[in-house]
Amino acid sequence: MHTKTDSEDTSLAPSSPDNSRPTAYYVQSPSRDSHDGEKTTTSFHSTPVISPMGSPPHSHSSVGRHSRDSSSSRFSGSLKPGSRKILPDAAAGVGGRHHRKGQKPWKECDVIEEEGLLEDDRSSKSLPRRCYVLAFVVGFFILFSFFALILWGASRPQKPKITMRTIKFDHFGIQAGSDATGVATDMISMNATVKFLYRNTASFFGVHVTSSPLDLSFSELTIGSGAMKKFYQSRKSQRVVAVSVIGNKIPLYGGGASLSTPSGATPLPVPLKLNFKLRSRAYVLGKVVKPKFYKTIDCLLTLHPQKMNAAISLKNCTYT
């Protein structure tokens, strides 16, 4: 420290009132140039706040303008790398709750709206995946149905073929008797064997074959019946099926009066009718494609007494 001279005291004396002048403070507040969701440039404006002690003289207003200009130039530009970014909440804390006229406060809902838009975009992107799964299921169902329809259409023409062969009577006799109620009538007993050829013409599936009872009738009266055992016939194969038709003491109730003799053997030819129905079912594609084939067979034949124990050809047959 050095001792002040009189000249220095004289030069500094007029400026002493400036030391008692209140200090000017500058408050920085953020402003947004755009409020439509676009990127905004954050600038900080310096607003002078005068101490309650007094106001600065007009002679020093240039110093305040210079300070504001330098402050604005420092904060209005882009932040340098490595500097801390001031968030809207921090800027609002610095600027307080007071804003300039015409300046709108920061909207906190913008962040929420943007997050909602992001969630909508994610949901819209995940929607096609569900659509792909649904399209795959629908496409698979359509293709499977189309394939099943092709198999069904291809299997329909491949119907099995039945050819009646022979019938042989081992026993056929009429004798007097009575029914279950005690009414006297002629009773007929017979035993015969029916043979037919079954051929599966299908090239890619087998069939399960069943049949209704084989009924042998005389004058609309059933005198014998037989049941065929169900069987499975593989593709492009055939077999001869033999079925026993048996009748035991079937009452004729006057219908066979001309056929009865004391010996029990009939001297006259006996017209008979044989009828039954065959059912064939194929499982081409599991239980989805199950073509069914029905064949009703009616045969007319005549039993001659001299042809007993001999095979009678079944040529007069209809297949429907």
Side-chain angles (χ1 to χ4, degrees):
M1 300 297 292
H2 61 278
T3 305
K4 295 182 181 180
T5 61
D6 295 338
S7 60
E8 290 177 353
D9 293 339
T10 306
S11 61
L12 293 174
S15 60
S16 59
D18 294 337
N19 296 331
S20 61
R21 186 180 69 248
T23 304
Y25 298 92
Y26 295 90
V27 178
Q28 300 169 358
S29 59
S31 63
R32 300 182 66 180
D33 297 336
S34 174
H35 302 282
D36 55 357
E38 299 178 354
K39 292 183 178 180
T40 60
T41 302
T42 304
S43 63
F44 296 89
H45 301 277
S46 298
T47 304
V49 178
I50 308 302
S51 174
M53 299 297 295
S55 60
H58 297 285
S59 61
H60 301 283
S61 60
S62 60
V63 177
R65 285 193 300 271
H66 177 71
S67 299
R68 288 194 299 271
D69 294 339
S70 61
S71 176
S72 300
S73 63
R74 286 196 305 268
F75 292 96
S76 60
S78 302
L79 295 175
K80 294 181 179 181
S83 60
R84 185 173 61 89
K85 184 177 180 181
I86 299 177
L87 298 176
D89 293 340
V94 175
R97 297 183 180 178
H98 301 282
H99 301 276
R100 287 185 178 183
K101 184 179 180 180
Q103 181 180 353
K104 296 182 179 180
W106 289 85
K107 292 184 178 180
E108 296 181 358
C109 62
D110 291 345
V111 179
I112 300 175
E113 290 178 356
E114 290 178 359
E115 290 179 355
L117 292 175
L118 291 175
E119 291 178 358
D120 294 341
D121 293 341
R122 292 172 184 172
S123 61
S124 63
K125 290 180 180 178
S126 62
L127 180 61
R129 294 180 181 177
R130 294 194 296 267
C131 293
Y132 291 150
V133 173
L134 180 61
F136 174 78
V137 173
V138 173
F140 177 78
F141 179 76
I142 293 175
L143 290 177
F144 183 79
S145 301
F146 182 71
F147 180 69
L149 184 62
I150 291 177
L151 290 178
W152 181 83
S155 63
R156 292 302 298 173
Q158 303 185 32
K159 299 179 180 180
K161 292 184 178 180
I162 297 96
T163 303
M164 299 302 298
R165 289 289 184 88
T166 60
I167 183 172
K168 185 178 74 168
F169 289 90
D170 299 324
H171 172 72
F172 190 92
I174 301 174
Q175 59 185 3
S178 60
D179 60 6
T181 60
V183 178
T185 182
D186 292 332
M187 311 289 287
I188 186 171
S189 297
M190 52 87 55
N191 186 5
T193 302
V194 179
K195 292 183 180 181
F196 63 90
L197 177 67
Y198 184 93
R199 183 160 64 96
N200 182 16
T201 62
S203 58
F204 60 93
F205 60 88
V207 291
H208 299 264
V209 186
T210 59
S211 174
S212 65
L214 280 73
D215 294 331
L216 188 65
S217 58
F218 167 73
S219 183
E220 302 299 329
L221 179 65
T222 302
I223 60 175
S225 181
M228 185 195 77
K229 294 181 179 180
K230 60 181 180 180
F231 62 91
Y232 173 78
Q233 192 66 36
S234 59
R235 60 187 181 90
K236 289 291 183 180
S237 62
Q238 63 184 18
R239 71 170 62 187
V240 176
V241 182
V243 182
S244 297
V245 179
I246 300 173
N248 185 26
K249 296 181 179 181
I250 305 299
L252 296 176
Y253 298 110
S258 59
L259 301 177
S260 62
T261 59
S263 61
T266 175
L268 300 175
V270 181
L272 301 172
K273 181 180 179 181
L274 176 69
N275 68 292
F276 64 100
K277 185 177 183 179
L278 278 175
R279 293 185 294 266
S280 304
R281 174 179 292 180
Y283 296 92
V284 180
L285 191 62
K287 293 186 177 181
V288 178
V289 181
K290 300 184 298 182
K292 301 176 183 179
F293 307 97
Y294 298 95
K295 186 73 68 175
T296 302
I297 302 165
D298 296 311
C299 296
L300 299 177
L301 64 141
T302 302
L303 173 61
H304 295 275
Q306 62 272 21
K307 290 185 177 180
M308 192 68 63
N309 294 324
I312 301 173
S313 178
L314 298 175
K315 296 181 180 179
N316 190 12
C317 297
T318 59
Y319 306 90
T320 57

